[in-house]
Amino acid sequence: MITNIFYHRHLMLIIVWSIIFYSCNKEDNSLAPYAGTPALSNLVVEEGSFNPKVTWVGGEVSVLGVNKGSKAALDSSLVWLIHSSSNNILYPVKFGKIPSGAQDITSQFGGVLKDSLDEDEEYTFWVMKAEVWNQAAANPNKEILSDSVAGSAVVVSGDTIMITPFSFTRASKKLNVYINILSPRSLGPLADLTVETTTLNIPRIRWKIKAAGVTDTLIAAIGLAKGSIYDFSGAVWEVYSVRDSSGTSIYARDNVISGPVLVGESFPNTKTFVEFKMENFERNNDYHIWIADKTWDKVNRQRFTRGYAYITFRVE
């Protein structure tokens, strides 16, 4: 029993001395505020949305602003400005949805709040840390830039405010939710074609028959392909009329498709040989849409081929 008491006292003594020794020799590894904090950077705006999500690198922020145009500023070009008293706004932030702990202050600087952004308009998105907000807010109507400022986090010079990248970053973006169809060119003797975009981001095709002596406005086949010259490997969508003849399928010999047509549609009495998939229809590519009537030879695709016509265009 005496041995056990001695053992326990000895163990406690070792623990106490270990704590004292560790405390005396422990390094102070605490960091100064923001030391090692990454700079605000890589601000990214979601594609394909009028209420895009915004993300960035550099941690939580105190302010997120959106200006119409190419400049970040606390002025009447603001369409959204949210503020939190401390750095607690965490990405992603969806335009128009105020995060918990933040409030909308767009009108305080003459801005007009928008519920959603507009097609083909340029906007500047920016985020800012709490440490520089008061200085920026005291200097409205000046362009805010990200710059390495010697000796200070904020420098006001003339009509600009320069803020260290550790506390501010911005990015300008032209909103392009809907595809743009550029440089259309209709060729071929059968018809004049037009192509237009839709809110589905899928082209709509119209045609006006112009071939001499042809009064039927229906067609027998239609397709969409990458490039300005047909190659089956680039086919994105192809539909042919089909007829059963004594157990044999005969294609593109009956005019059954009426316009206008939305790419990807299916039609009675037809067979789809290439199904349309949205992921195969990409921006920054050249495409062409072709049509043919029952007189087409199903082989040739030149601009003078009988019963055939096509339109080339670029998608951006």
Side-chain angles (χ1 to χ4, degrees):
M1 180 175 179
I2 294 173
T3 302
N4 287 340
I5 293 172
F6 176 79
Y7 172 78
H8 287 298
R9 286 179 177 176
H10 182 68
L11 180 60
M12 287 298 296
L13 187 62
I14 291 173
I15 293 172
V16 170
W17 277 106
S18 296
I19 292 172
I20 294 172
F21 178 82
Y22 178 76
S23 299
C24 293
N25 290 277
K26 180 182 177 183
E27 292 184 16
D28 183 4
N29 289 320
S30 60
L31 297 176
Y34 313 111
T37 300
L40 288 173
S41 62
N42 296 339
L43 192 150
V44 177
V45 181
E46 179 187 18
E47 297 283 352
S49 174
F50 291 117
N51 294 85
K53 293 179 180 178
V54 183
T55 61
W56 60 88
V57 171
E60 295 171 312
V61 298
S62 172
V63 184
L64 188 153
V66 183
N67 292 80
K68 185 176 181 179
S70 61
K71 296 181 180 180
L74 296 169
D75 64 12
S76 60
S77 67
L78 282 165
V79 296
W80 200 45
L81 181 65
I82 58 174
H83 171 254
S84 175
S85 58
S86 60
N87 292 322
N88 59 15
I89 298 177
L90 180 65
Y91 67 84
V93 176
K94 185 179 179 68
F95 179 87
K97 185 175 182 180
I98 301 175
S100 176
Q103 60 179 334
D104 170 58
I105 58 170
T106 309
S107 62
Q108 289 187 22
F109 297 93
V112 178
L113 178 67
K114 291 183 67 70
D115 294 328
S116 61
L117 302 179
D118 297 323
E119 175 73 359
D120 292 330
E121 290 286 353
E122 184 178 23
Y123 295 95
T124 297
F125 299 76
W126 52 275
V127 291
M128 183 181 292
K129 294 282 190 179
E131 293 72 36
V132 298
W133 166 245
N134 287 338
Q135 288 174 274
N139 290 276
N141 303 310
K142 298 180 185 293
E143 182 175 7
I144 309 172
L145 302 173
S146 177
D147 197 5
S148 297
V149 184
S152 177
V154 181
V155 171
V156 179
S157 178
D159 58 358
T160 61
I161 305 172
M162 292 174 286
I163 301 178
T164 172
F166 288 94
S167 296
F168 174 80
T169 191
R170 70 184 215 175
S172 295
K173 179 181 179 63
K174 185 176 182 180
L175 210 67
N176 192 8
V177 175
Y178 298 138
I179 60 170
N180 295 308
I181 294 176
L182 308 177
S183 306
R185 187 184 183 204
S186 180
L187 301 164
L190 177 62
D192 289 322
L193 288 85
T194 57
V195 59
E196 59 194 31
T197 188
T198 67
T199 56
L200 298 174
N201 268 354
I202 299 173
R204 179 180 287 114
I205 311 107
R206 303 178 188 273
W207 59 86
K208 184 177 182 180
I209 300 298
K210 66 178 182 180
V214 177
T215 57
D216 192 351
T217 59
L218 304 182
I219 58 173
I222 188 169
L224 168 70
K226 277 188 176 181
S228 56
I229 300 175
Y230 182 83
D231 185 327
F232 181 75
S233 64
V236 177
W237 175 60
E238 288 198 356
V239 181
Y240 289 73
S241 68
V242 60
R243 181 209 315 165
D244 180 79
S245 177
S246 302
T248 300
S249 295
I250 299 176
Y251 299 106
R253 284 296 173 262
D254 298 300
N255 292 338
V256 297
I257 302 171
S258 61
V261 167
L262 195 66
V263 168
E265 275 193 74
S266 57
F267 315 95
N269 304 312
T270 65
K271 179 174 180 178
T272 300
F273 284 89
V274 180
E275 294 279 356
F276 177 72
K277 295 180 180 179
M278 194 65 192
E279 60 266 29
N280 295 334
F281 186 60
E282 304 167 336
R283 295 177 189 264
N284 303 314
N285 277 295
D286 294 320
Y287 288 89
H288 74 274
I289 292 170
W290 59 269
I291 64 171
D293 73 359
K294 62 184 181 181
T295 66
W296 176 45
D297 62 15
K298 295 194 295 183
V299 176
N300 293 299
R301 294 174 177 273
Q302 285 77 29
R303 59 188 300 175
F304 50 80
T305 298
R306 181 188 177 193
Y308 190 83
Y310 60 100
I311 184 170
T312 63
F313 55 95
R314 184 166 182 80
V315 174
E316 290 186 354

